[in-house]
Amino acid sequence: PPFPISVRRLPYDFDASAESLAVGTVDFYEYRFGASIGSWTREAIAGPARLRLMLLAPTPDASASWCGRELALDHGAALLLGETDGRLQSRDGLHGIQVNIPREAVGVTDAQLVAFNDQRRLFGDPTFTGLVRPALLGLSGHLGALASAELRELPQLWISLLAMLTRSLA
C-alpha cells in the first residue's frame, strides 16, 4: 500500500527508509528516519477506517503529538490509534513498526482509544506486554523476507490479537 509522505525542504543529510507488507486487509510498516519534523492531517491519510498499533523505539529528545496529546519518546512508546492528525519531531531520528487492521474488525470507540493510550495503562497490560508487543517486535527487520511466505492466516491472527488487547484494556 502507498505510504504517503511529503517533504517541503530536504536537508542534505536526511536519511529515511520504510518497508511495508500487505496481507489481505492487514498491513505492516517499519520505518526509520533521521532528524525531522513532520505533520499530517486526517485527510492526507484518508482511506478505509483503520485501527493502528504503533511501537516507537526509545529516542532521546523526541516528541510526538496525536489527537492533541503530547508524548515524549525518551523511553519509547506504543499507540493504538484510529484516524488522527498528528505531529512528530525528532532531533536524532526515529524507528517504528506498526500494524493496521480494519477498524470495524474490533469494536472500539474513539473515547476508549484516548484512554488506552495512557502509556502506564498500555505497558501495564499483560496482553500487550506478553503477546502483542513481542509479536510486533518480532516482525521488525523481517517484513521483506515475509513478503514471499504463505501468510494466509496472518490477517485473522492480528485482528484477533488487537481484539484481545482492546478487551483487556477495556
Side-chain angles (χ1 to χ4, degrees), residues 106-117:
V106 176
V108 62
T109 67
D110 289 337
Q112 286 176 310
L113 289 175
V114 169
F116 294 168
N117 282 301

Side-chain angles (χ1 to χ4, degrees), residues 12-123:
Y12 178 75
D13 59 350
F14 183 75
D15 182 25
S17 67
E19 270 192 289
S20 67
L21 173 66
V23 182
T25 60
V26 174
D27 44 73
F28 303 87
Y29 295 99
E30 184 170 9
Y31 37 85
R32 296 175 194 270
F33 49 84
S36 57
I37 298 173
S39 64
W40 59 93
T41 64
R42 290 176 192 232
E43 295 78 27
I45 58 171
R50 311 296 279 163
L51 182 64
R52 298 172 287 151
L53 175 63
M54 304 167 66
L55 292 180
L56 303 173
T59 308
D61 299 319
S63 65
S65 173
W66 285 274
C67 303
R69 178 183 267 176
E70 289 292 320
L71 183 63
L73 301 177
D74 293 328
H75 302 291
L79 298 154
L80 191 59
L81 301 170
E83 275 37 75
T84 182
D85 51 11
R87 178 193 53 75
L88 180 66
Q89 179 173 335
S90 174
R91 187 185 68 182
D92 296 320
L94 188 75
H95 178 199
I97 188 162
Q98 75 183 60
V99 58
N100 304 331
I101 68 167
R103 175 83 184 252
E104 75 271 1
V106 176
V108 62
T109 67
D110 289 337
Q112 286 176 310
L113 289 175
V114 169
F116 294 168
N117 282 301
D118 176 323
Q119 296 299 286
R120 291 169 298 181
R121 184 175 183 180
L122 194 53
F123 280 97

Side-chain angles (χ1 to χ4, degrees), residues 157-168:
L157 169 70
W158 276 97
I159 289 169
S160 294
L161 284 171
L162 292 184
M164 285 188 289
L165 176 60
T166 59
R167 280 194 310 275
S168 181

